[in-house]
Amino acid sequence: MDECSTLEVMLVDNEDLVRRGFRHALGEASDITVVADTRVGEEALRLLELRRPQVVLIDAECEFIRKITKPSGAAAPGFVPGIVVLTSISLDSHLFGTLKAGASGFLLKSASQEELTSAVRAVAGGAAYICPTMTRRLIDRFEILPPPQERSHAVALATLSGRETQVLSGIAMGRSNQEIAAELHVTPATVKSHVSRILAKLELPNRMHAALMAQRSGLVHPTQPAQAPGTSAGPPVPPGPSSPLSSGPSRAPGQADLVKARTTL
């Protein structure tokens, strides 16, 4: 992989040993390069402006994260990197606070090397990554969808074609583009195009928001596969035997892989 295609990452943590460990873990990925690591403070802001990494892995208070993510407080005007919070605090308030401050990812420091690199890749691609243990809390308590008065979920979902609805169901069940493509007997590139159209039609920024809309609208339920919009009222009916998405065990939104690296387009 050439240098131009390498993802540049900066580590910000007050513990030297923690930074060293994560630098080593990321260093084993051929497509990721750690360009700087430092403690929380003015030096971090200076290095951020100097190196301009695509992703910042950080353990800091929300106030400092806002200095990076908010235009008025950005270290480099017009430059806002993707933020992945690395923390040992698994409190709801910390999760919600950092997301509101502008973070796109949230990992516990007990995360595996695979999770770490997946989060970097996802956030660098403009998606979101929430560690599995916190995903259910996000779905249950954190309101990140547009206000109801802007557009009802039912009206928005009715704009999708049948195939787009199938793809959205797959997204909501935590499936990757490759898995959805195999189930629908199309190419991953075709699925990626469907995902782009889905996000445009629903006026949503990424797959995480689309999965949450599908779950909250009733398209997908925690114990059932998807039901297309416009079907008869009553409890959602699982897809019939002919549905490509009905094969195999269904996976509910909020389970371990709902908002993972698969959120990348």
Side-chain angles (χ1 to χ4, degrees), residues 186-235:
V186 297
T187 66
T190 298
V191 174
K192 184 175 180 179
S193 296
H194 283 309
V195 173
S196 296
R197 286 194 292 271
I198 289 168
L199 296 180
K201 287 183 177 182
L202 300 182
E203 301 177 3
L204 297 173
N206 56 48
R207 291 170 68 126
M208 180 174 69
H209 290 72
L212 290 174
M213 175 180 279
Q215 193 265 344
R216 287 175 178 159
S217 67
L219 180 64
V220 171
H221 281 255
T223 58
Q224 293 178 302
Q227 176 188 9
T231 55
S232 60

Side-chain angles (χ1 to χ4, degrees), residues 8 10 35-36 46-54 79:
E8 296 190 341
M10 177 173 165
V35 296
R46 186 190 71 79
L47 285 174
L48 181 66
E49 181 175 1
L50 177 66
R51 304 310 300 264
R52 297 199 170 204
Q54 292 159 277
F79 168 71

Side-chain angles (χ1 to χ4, degrees), residues 3 9 22 52 61-62 66 112 117 126-127 131 145 166 183 191-192 195 198 201 216 223 253 261 263:
E3 185 178 356
V9 176
F22 283 121
R52 297 199 170 204
E61 297 296 327
C62 296
R66 279 191 287 270
S112 66
T117 54
C131 66
L145 293 176
Q166 289 178 318
E183 290 163 344
V191 174
K192 184 175 180 179
V195 173
I198 289 168
K201 287 183 177 182
R216 287 175 178 159
T223 58
T263 52

